[in-house]
Amino acid sequence: MAFEVATNQSYLIEIAPVVTSDFKNLPAGRYFFNWDEEATFEIFKLTIKGKDDILGLISFERISKEMRIHVRLLIASVENVGAAKIDDSLRPKTQIAQHYIDKYKINITGMTRSLEIPEIFELIEFYDHDN
């Protein structure tokens, strides 16, 4: 469920893989990055259920030998900023780091931040309102 602050309205959301035809609708001016450069990695989009407009994107890389997923980029579209842009292995560059730790139980793992399985399941349970 997504909540639009300006209108006090909530929407069901969908998270789905980006398909080839989506790339033509991902200009860097709206999404802060040339997403074609991420095409070799897994990219998912956030949309309002039943709509095509992409509100946000995440790209990640599965690193099987380490049994982890490396989040490369996480971004909201320019008009939806207020969410977060997280890149470089969840290496926050501002005070937002403590917010991630407090709100999402993100762990400090050396120079990066991470979530372990229990915390991931807690977040999924908390934010999964389709049940």
Side-chain angles (χ1 to χ4, degrees), residues 2-52:
F3 181 75
E4 185 177 32
V5 177
T7 64
N8 204 26
Q9 189 168 352
S10 59
Y11 301 92
L12 287 177
I13 59 163
E14 290 183 319
I15 298 172
V18 166
V19 295
T20 304
S21 60
D22 287 327
F23 283 99
K24 69 179 184 298
N25 297 319
L26 300 176
R30 185 170 184 217
Y31 297 98
F32 303 96
F33 188 78
N34 179 359
W35 285 86
D36 292 331
E37 295 177 17
E38 291 295 294
T40 59
F41 300 99
E42 292 183 68
I43 305 173
F44 280 75
K45 60 187 174 183
L46 176 74
T47 60
I48 294 173
K49 193 169 189 163
K51 308 263 183 186
D52 293 328

Side-chain angles (χ1 to χ4, degrees), residues 49-120:
K49 193 169 189 163
K51 308 263 183 186
D52 293 328
D53 188 38
I54 298 172
L55 306 175
L57 296 155
I58 184 171
S59 76
F60 58 89
E61 175 182 6
R62 294 176 193 266
I63 303 175
S64 302
K65 66 182 177 184
E66 296 178 16
M67 296 178 58
R68 71 179 178 97
I69 295 174
H70 173 80
V71 176
R72 295 179 50 81
L73 293 168
L74 173 62
I75 191 102
S77 61
V78 70
E79 68 277 2
N80 289 299
V81 167
K85 176 182 178 188
I86 304 173
D87 59 32
D88 201 15
S89 297
L90 292 177
R91 218 177 282 174
K93 296 166 181 63
T94 65
Q95 303 89 332
I96 194 98
Q98 192 61 48
H99 171 73
Y100 296 145
I101 292 165
D102 295 341
K103 181 162 177 126
Y104 302 110
K105 299 181 184 176
I106 287 181
N107 302 304
I108 299 170
T109 48
M111 293 295 294
T112 63
R113 306 294 181 259
S114 67
L115 282 173
E116 301 295 328
I117 297 295
E119 291 86 8
I120 292 170

